[in-house]
């Protein structure tokens, strides 16, 4: 769904319109969920209902309509809003370009703040005041933020949609295949480039040279003012944009396993916390609230990285970013491996306590999970933010919403991948003894599963290094603008 939303935003609707439309759909979904808690005919059965009957058609219609509205709204909102925010910075202005690098950091600071509120305040409201009250708060909050966003429309910068961003990619492939038998030229004088000064031109790179044949001027003469057929002759910029898309694909695949590790934080980690001692001076922490530790770790790491580490790295390396994007992503992958190792050791300890005590709630404090959550937060600060910046920057300018959608799809597909991996591992281990996933968490061996993820992540990291060792980033022919600020 995010990929479809990103494509529509880039190709036809425009990001501002897509944000408004998807936000409205999202509010509608929240409104329906809220109505199911307060309107008697729509209200589902409660645990204490004596005359509870099976869900009726109206119950199912309301629930699934709300779910589909929320899915469609999220699919359009996520990729469009983040890319629209980054579009407010001018890439040709050095100070604004540096500001955009910080934008992705503080975008995630805001997400962390929202996550903390969600797993603490909203979890408390749901447990003590009911889902209806929580849904009402979320509906009103989302409605107000949509109105505030709309009121700011006179101050935004806009990028007009220019049709399908996939068509130029197909044109390059067709032109390259047509000219596949041409000899590769000894210099770039035979390469065609557009004279359009309104678009950002890309410099030629020597990777994927087969695609370069699409921009070789063969027998045709490109007259002044005459535009050749893009199915026969492409520009250097279009060829380089196609190369960017091709190079994004393997990075997307090697990022999936990092997403699998993240998925454990919202599933098995929470299940572990539900069996542990969560009392603090008589107050019981909701199991999901422990996830806030990862958000705090990510928030703290992002601020230190942006305010302390980046300025130092800029002075040392002389580069605007301090370190390359993919190097930042790789650092986070290392922390993810460390997090899985720590999680395995802590789970082994928890199983030893569970074997001794036989209680539903163990004496072992839930804060034993702090190290693995905190390390996960640090890894997220490097890898998740780095992937957002990578998928926005290293795709063609006309595909930036699609790029952010690709980032979102990493996490979405990783959750399916995690479920598939659990099923496979459970069946395989069950054939050679007891399954690693028993009827409850205390009869399972999650520690072994975490070790497996750590080993798989280490192998995946080795592949990642091979893919990124000599990576060619987007090379824009910049026209620097002096900032007036």
């Amino acid at each position: 769904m995010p990929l479809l939303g990103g494509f529509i935003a880039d190709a036809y609707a425009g990001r501002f319109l897509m944000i408004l439309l998807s936000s409205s759909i999202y509010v509608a979904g929240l409104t329906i969920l809220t109505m199911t808690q307060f309107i008697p005919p729509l209200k589902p059965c409660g645990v204490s209902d004596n005359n509870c009957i099976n869900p009726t058609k109206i119950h199912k219609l309301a629930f699934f309509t709300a779910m589909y509205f929320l899915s469609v709204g999220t699919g359009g909102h996520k990729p469009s809003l983040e890319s629209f925010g980054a579009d407010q910075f001018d890439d040709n202005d050095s100070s604004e370009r540096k500001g955009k690098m910080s934008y992705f950091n503080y975008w995630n600071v805001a997400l962390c703040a929202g996550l903390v509120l969600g797993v603490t305040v909203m979890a408390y409201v749901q447990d003590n005041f009911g889902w209806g009250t929580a849904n009402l708060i979320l509906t009103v909050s989302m409605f107000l933020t949509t109105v505030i966003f709309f009121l700011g429309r006179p101050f935004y910068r806009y990028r007009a949609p220019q049709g399908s961003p996939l068509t130029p990619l197909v044109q390059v492939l067709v032109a390259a295949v047509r000219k596949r038998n041409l000899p590769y030229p000894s210099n770039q004088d035979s390469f065609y480039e557009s004279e359009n000064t309104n678009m950002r031109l890309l410099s030629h790179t020597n990777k994927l040279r087969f695609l370069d044949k699409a921009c070789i001027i063969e027998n045709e003469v490109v007259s002044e003012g005459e535009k050749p057929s893009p199915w026969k002759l492409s520009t250097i910029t279009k060829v380089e944009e196609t190369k960017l898309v091709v190079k994004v694909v393997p990075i997307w695949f090697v990022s999936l396993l990092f997403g699998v590790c993240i998925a454990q934080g919202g599933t098995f980690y929470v299940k572990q916390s539900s069996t542990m001692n969560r009392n603090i001076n008589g107050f019981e922490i909701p199991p999901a609230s422990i996830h806030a530790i990862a958000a705090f770790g990510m928030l703290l790491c992002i601020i230190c990285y942006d305010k302390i580490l980046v300025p130092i790295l800029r002075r040392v390396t002389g580069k605007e970013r301090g370190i390359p994007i993919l190097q930042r992503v790789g650092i986070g992958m290392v922390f993810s491996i460390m997090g899985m190792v720590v999680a395995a050791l802590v789970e082994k300890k928890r199983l030893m306590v569970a074997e001794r005590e036989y209680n539903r709630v163990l004496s072992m404090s839930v804060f034993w999970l702090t190290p693995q959550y905190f390390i996960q937060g640090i890894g997220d600060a490097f890898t998740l933010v780095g992937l957002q910046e990578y998928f926005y920057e290293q795709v063609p300018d006309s595909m930036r919403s699609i790029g952010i959608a690709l980032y979102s799809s990493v996490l979405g597909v990783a959750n399916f991948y995690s479920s598939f991996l659990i099923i496979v591992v459970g069946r395989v281990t069950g054939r050679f003894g007891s399954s690693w996933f028993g009827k409850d968490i205390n009869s399972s061996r999650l520690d072994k599963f975490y070790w497996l993820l750590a080993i798989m992540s280490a192998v995946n990291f080795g592949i990642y290094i091979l893919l990124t060792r000599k990576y060619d980033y987007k090379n824009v022919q910049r026209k620097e603008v002096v900032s007036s600020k």
Side-chain angles (χ1 to χ4, degrees):
M1 190 60 71
L3 283 173
L4 178 60
F7 177 80
I8 295 174
D10 280 338
Y12 306 111
R15 289 162 196 166
F16 178 78
L17 180 60
M18 193 66 183
I19 294 167
L20 284 181
L21 178 61
S22 58
S23 297
S24 301
I25 294 173
Y26 196 90
V27 170
L30 285 174
T31 302
I32 295 172
L33 276 184
T34 304
M35 291 166 59
T36 61
Q37 298 295 319
F38 293 107
I39 298 178
L42 300 178
K43 191 173 183 179
C45 296
V47 178
S48 60
D49 290 346
N50 296 322
N51 299 320
C52 187
I53 59 175
N54 291 328
T56 63
K57 289 183 178 180
I58 190 67
H59 289 147
K60 295 178 181 178
L61 178 63
F63 175 77
F64 284 107
T65 300
M67 290 297 102
Y68 284 123
F69 272 38
L70 292 176
S71 298
V72 172
T74 302
H77 185 271
K78 273 192 172 182
S80 303
L81 184 59
E82 185 171 358
S83 57
F84 183 77
D87 285 346
Q88 306 310 303
F89 298 87
D90 185 358
D91 286 296
N92 291 322
D93 187 302
S94 59
S95 62
E96 290 199 29
R97 196 162 57 243
K98 290 180 179 179
K100 184 164 69 173
M101 296 171 193
S102 294
Y103 161 78
F104 287 98
N105 290 325
Y106 288 100
W107 169 272
N108 285 275
V109 167
L111 291 182
C112 287
L115 175 62
V116 170
L117 290 175
V119 299
T120 55
V121 176
M122 295 309 300
Y124 179 81
V125 171
Q126 289 170 353
D127 289 346
N128 294 274
F129 299 98
W131 286 82
T133 303
N135 288 340
L136 181 61
I137 294 172
L138 293 174
T139 304
V140 173
S141 300
M142 189 67 188
F143 175 77
L144 291 177
T145 55
T146 303
V147 171
I148 293 171
F149 173 77
F150 176 76
L151 293 177
R153 70 189 188 282
F155 307 102
Y156 301 139
R157 289 172 173 168
Y158 301 91
R159 288 180 180 270
Q162 300 176 347
S164 173
L166 302 181
T167 301
L169 308 183
V170 177
Q171 290 172 340
V172 169
L173 293 175
V174 170
V177 171
R178 279 183 169 179
K179 300 181 178 182
R180 61 187 180 278
N181 295 322
L182 289 181
Y184 196 86
S186 57
N187 56 63
Q188 297 184 27
D189 294 339
S190 299
F191 292 160
Y192 172 66
E193 182 57 281
S194 172
E195 297 180 357
N196 184 0
T197 57
N198 294 324
M199 63 182 296
R200 295 205 303 167
L201 302 181
L202 302 183
S203 300
H204 176 260
T205 59
N206 290 318
K207 298 290 180 65
L208 300 171
R209 290 164 60 119
F210 168 76
L211 295 174
D212 290 341
K213 295 187 177 183
C215 62
I216 295 176
I217 302 174
E218 195 180 4
N219 298 322
E220 64 270 275
V221 177
V222 182
S223 303
E224 186 176 351
E226 180 184 346
K227 193 173 182 180
S229 171
W231 297 96
K232 296 180 180 179
L233 182 62
S234 295
T235 64
I236 294 176
T237 295
K238 293 300 180 185
V239 169
E240 290 302 318
E241 288 181 342
T242 305
K243 292 180 182 181
L244 290 174
V245 175
V246 172
K247 290 187 291 185
V248 158
V249 174
I251 301 299
W252 186 90
F253 275 105
V254 294
S255 302
L256 287 177
L257 203 53
F258 178 83
V260 172
C261 295
I262 292 178
Q264 311 315 310
T267 53
F268 285 139
Y269 288 7
V270 175
K271 191 66 176 176
Q272 288 172 257
S273 71
S274 67
T275 68
M276 303 171 77
N277 182 9
R278 305 188 307 277
N279 281 308
I280 301 180
N281 296 326
F283 176 78
E284 188 172 74
I285 304 172
S289 295
I290 195 68
H291 194 69
I293 296 174
F296 280 122
M298 184 176 182
L299 191 151
L300 180 63
C301 184
I302 287 175
I303 294 175
C304 291
Y305 178 82
D306 189 76
K307 294 298 183 182
I308 300 175
L309 193 57
V310 170
I312 295 174
L313 290 172
R314 281 174 177 166
R315 288 195 294 268
V316 172
T317 64
K319 299 178 180 178
E320 280 186 330
R321 297 185 185 279
I323 57 175
I325 301 175
L326 292 176
Q327 190 172 330
R328 177 178 183 173
V329 173
I331 292 172
M333 288 183 174
V334 173
F335 276 102
S336 177
I337 297 170
M338 293 168 54
M340 285 294 101
V341 172
V342 172
L345 296 175
V346 172
E347 174 61 8
K348 181 65 175 178
K349 169 70 176 178
R350 193 195 66 81
L351 287 174
M352 292 171 61
V353 174
E355 188 177 358
R356 290 198 309 264
E357 297 186 356
Y358 301 104
N359 295 326
R360 189 181 69 86
V361 179
L362 307 178
S363 62
M364 185 177 179
S365 172
V366 72
F367 290 105
W368 273 83
L369 300 178
T370 298
Q372 65 199 61
Y373 266 120
F374 197 78
I375 293 172
Q376 177 182 312
I378 296 174
D380 292 351
F382 281 95
T383 297
L384 288 187
V385 182
L387 286 175
Q388 289 172 17
E389 194 170 356
Y390 170 78
F391 282 110
Y392 176 85
E393 290 286 351
Q394 300 303 313
V395 296
D397 291 353
S398 60
M399 296 180 62
R400 284 176 163 174
S401 291
I402 297 177
I404 295 297
L406 283 171
Y407 155 76
S408 299
S409 69
V410 168
L411 301 180
V413 174
N415 278 279
F416 287 106
Y417 183 18
S418 176
S419 300
F420 173 75
L421 191 61
I422 290 169
I423 293 172
V424 172
V425 171
R427 290 181 178 178
V428 171
T429 54
R431 290 181 180 179
F432 297 94
S434 59
S435 173
W436 288 359
F437 306 101
K439 62 180 180 180
D440 57 57
I441 194 170
N442 290 336
S443 62
S444 301
R445 292 304 306 266
L446 292 184
D447 57 325
K448 294 183 178 180
F449 181 63
Y450 293 155
W451 278 115
L452 175 63
L453 288 181
I455 294 170
M456 291 177 63
S457 297
V459 174
N460 183 74
F461 180 65
I463 298 172
Y464 177 83
I465 292 176
L466 294 176
L467 287 173
T468 60
R469 186 173 53 180
K470 295 182 179 180
Y471 191 90
D472 288 329
Y473 292 92
K474 180 192 289 187
N475 190 0
V476 180
Q477 299 178 18
R478 300 195 184 279
K479 300 176 182 178
E480 289 292 343
V481 176
V482 179
S483 176
S484 59
K485 297 179 181 180

